[in-house]
Amino acid sequence: MAEEKPAVAFILGGPGSGKGTQCQKLVNQYGLVHLSAGDLLREERASGSKDAELIESIIREGKIVPSEITVKLLKNAMEKNGWAKSKFLIDGFPRSQDNLDGWNQMMGHLINFKFVLFLDCSEDIMTQRIMKRAESSGRSDDNIESLKKRFRTYIESTKPIIDFYAKQNKVITVNAEKSIDEVFEKIRPHFTDF
Ligand code: UP5
Ligand code: MG
């Protein structure tokens, strides 16, 4: 019988580790659905919803939006994409214990969690990439002050979530410092029968 619950992988790593870039390559190759929690929050901010100002201030400060908001956006986006028929790459989430608890409560029983893909990259390299992207991205958090705060939040709140999954042998770690294509070659085999 067909698996009715959608497969989900979380794609985690620091700011600029290449989450969005590698997800796009997985979409092109395997037709998976890529949902970036950051992109969904930026869309919600742009829509002028009641949460727009809160989201903007949190993003600029490199902090983490409460899970009630983010999980709802993810769930809506999954439903729009044809729930059970799809396989989802959830990029940049869960970033904290609050995110993980909110997700487990609302989504845990509805999905088939596969693994965390962890893009491991030094802060120096991530800084170089983000500051280069800052020249053209227009992202309000692509500046050195916000970036430092994003790194701190990543170490304090997100890394413990990766460690939590690692203890359960649910993390695939890839060295994300190589070229885009070299990183993808390491990632690809894990998604052939995802
Ligand atoms: N690049 C990528 N790979 C490269 C490689 N191998 N070699 C050389 N260059 C490479 O890549 C970044 C840049 O590096 C690009 O220019 C790329 O060409 C180049 P990208 O693929 O965009 O990296 P990514 O990891 O996606 O970086 P991003 O900046 O998106 O990561 P963040 O985690 O900081 O951003 P996100 O959008 O996920 O979140 C933004 C904010 O939203 C968070 O700080 C937080 O405030 C908020 N947020 C929440 O509150 N909750 C959530 O659940 C999610 C986000
Ligand atoms: Mg991204």
Side-chain angles (χ1 to χ4, degrees):
M1 214 177 81
E3 175 62 76
E4 289 186 9
K5 293 181 178 180
V8 168
F10 294 138
I11 317 300
L12 293 174
S17 57
K19 301 183 292 295
T21 303
Q22 295 299 329
C23 284
Q24 191 51 53
K25 291 182 78 73
L26 287 165
V27 168
N28 295 343
Q29 180 125 21
Y30 296 115
L32 310 172
V33 177
H34 169 214
L35 298 177
S36 156
D39 286 349
L40 291 171
L41 288 166
R42 285 184 285 272
E43 270 170 35
E44 181 70 3
R45 177 185 62 187
S47 77
S49 86
K50 66 171 173 38
D51 296 324
E53 274 180 34
L54 175 73
I55 293 171
E56 171 54 17
S57 65
I58 291 176
I59 286 181
R60 218 178 328 103
E61 285 304 306
K63 297 207 170 107
I64 300 171
V65 173
S67 66
E68 300 86 82
I69 296 177
T70 315
V71 175
K72 205 162 56 191
L73 291 174
L74 286 168
K75 186 164 190 269
N76 286 345
M78 289 173 77
E79 284 167 353
K80 260 194 224 153
N81 274 284
W83 191 251
K85 290 193 296 295
S86 302
K87 297 175 176 193
F88 294 96
L89 305 170
I90 298 198
D91 156 3
F93 179 95
R95 294 173 110 86
S96 66
Q97 190 64 48
D98 163 70
N99 279 180
L100 181 56
D101 292 343
W103 171 268
N104 282 339
Q105 205 175 342
M106 195 163 168
M107 304 295 286
H109 57 294
L110 300 174
I111 57 115
N112 177 17
F113 170 71
K114 296 283 192 171
F115 54 78
V116 173
L117 174 68
F118 170 38
L119 298 180
D120 192 10
C121 196
S122 72
E123 210 168 290
D124 274 358
I125 291 182
M126 293 193 280
T127 303
Q128 285 167 29
R129 289 180 187 171
I130 294 287
M131 292 319 289
K132 174 126 196 349
R133 189 182 65 182
E135 293 164 13
S136 60
S137 73
R139 271 177 57 164
S140 63
D141 61 346
D142 275 357
N143 57 76
I144 197 69
E145 293 78 25
S146 293
L147 183 57
K148 282 184 184 151
K149 294 174 184 169
R150 288 155 71 190
F151 282 135
R152 188 177 323 140
T153 302
Y154 167 67
I155 295 296
E156 286 175 359
S157 301
T158 311
K159 197 61 185 32
I161 302 303
I162 298 168
D163 296 342
F164 164 80
Y165 280 114
K167 284 198 193 110
Q168 302 169 35
N169 290 320
K170 288 288 191 189
V171 177
I172 293 160
T173 301
V174 169
N175 175 354
E177 299 186 344
K178 304 260 169 67
S179 73
I180 291 172
D181 287 339
E182 282 172 298
V183 176
F184 186 60
E185 282 311 308
K186 298 279 185 233
I187 288 175
R188 218 158 53 90
H190 300 286
F191 288 89
T192 45
D193 64 348
F194 173 70

